[in-house]
Amino acid sequence: MASAVKKMRVEDVENYDKRRFCMAILGLCVADAYNTQITLTPLKITNCNAASSGGACFSKAFCDTESFDEGMVLGDVFQTGIKTLKNFAKNGTLPEERRMFLAFDKLLNFLNGEKSIRFNSPQNLHALPETELAVLVANHLLGKLAISSCYLVDKNCTGKRDGCCCGVDSCRMTGEYGDTSIGNSEVWHGNLDIIINDDLAVEAIENSLDSPGEKSAVEVKANLQRNPKIIAQTIVFSFLQEKRHPEREHFLTPCIGIGNSELIILFYDTEHDVLLESSRVPLFESPVSCKFSYSSILACWLVVNYKIFCSGLVEEFKICKSNFFSHAREKINIYKDELKFQNVNSFQSNEPKLVKVASKVKTTPLMHETEKTVLEVLLSLASADAYSNSASGSNSN
């Protein structure tokens, strides 16, 4: 019975774009070779107010950072997920383990569907206030890729609605509004915009306090990265997750930041004191599209299901300390033992600045092996197309 179900699922998804799917996998595994690549840069904190007297809400957090010279690809911290994707791309093999299979079934359903937000105009979509767009992404992308589609939206956010803000009457909002505050008033604390399934923090990132037209493209994009508010939220949420789930095999916890056309992923490992920031990932296929890019689909699928597919830090990057423990040493025990979920407070603010990324990106043997496998799949697709075109040309003659 199980094998029949699996066979049916593979056949159901035959209309997905296999080339773009394979190219998105390559973007998770290979550096400096494809436009879709997603890299992770380790960050070192040079100055912050994580231990300031009286604490600081997330909107008042400051956190200056500099990057390490060497980074990695996103796939290196999701090796379990990369193996799953590679096996499916190569021969249609689906995972046997129950939770992996449920998560992969969510991905197949999504790839076989619209893969988009049904919105009346792409221009209007990209002009939405940041929080409304983040809720849309949670409802139409993140919630659909997670095993559970439940999520919690900050009850204090602007633009609250009874249904999904895409405006389609039949579109049901699978999340609810509530208290998303985390932390401790003695340290960093405040509200998260969205919490997916109690596991993942999502933050809407303002492009600027001025209208987007008054900022250069570089400034708007830079505001996504090295953003002190989302760095503080990622670190606090990671410590909270360790406290609530001490049984986990590792404590590398992600957080997603959503801009009006791109997203970034941050990770903090509370055991090894390592802070990682991804390169920017395009949310949509183009600036005039409501369809999600394959890069964002696969990256978000891995991240929302990180408790299943995240393999933790690669050994050689465990030495890339962020120095948060040192900067917060006077209050580190509060971060470790006294953080709480709900009944805390928060607001917003931040200034963009130009950022530096890792100058070298290393990849593990699994990523090289996956690259080889996926390239072979793409080559076979190209050969099949060439044969088909040749045959149709002969028939026409």
Side-chain angles (χ1 to χ4, degrees), residues 167-187:
V168 177
D169 292 337
S170 60
C171 185
R172 187 174 67 89
M173 183 170 159
T174 60
E176 59 184 25
Y177 295 96
D179 184 354
T180 61
S181 58
I182 63 170
N184 184 302
S185 59
E186 291 294 312
V187 293

Side-chain angles (χ1 to χ4, degrees), residues 72 74-80 249-252 269 272 276 306 309-315 318:
M72 67 190 92
L74 183 64
D76 278 323
V77 298
F78 286 105
Q79 297 195 22
T80 306
E249 292 183 9
H250 62 81
F251 297 103
L252 184 66
D269 189 307
H272 300 287
L276 305 172
Y306 73 93
F309 295 117
C310 184
S311 49
L313 284 172
V314 178
E315 195 65 35
K318 290 179 180 179

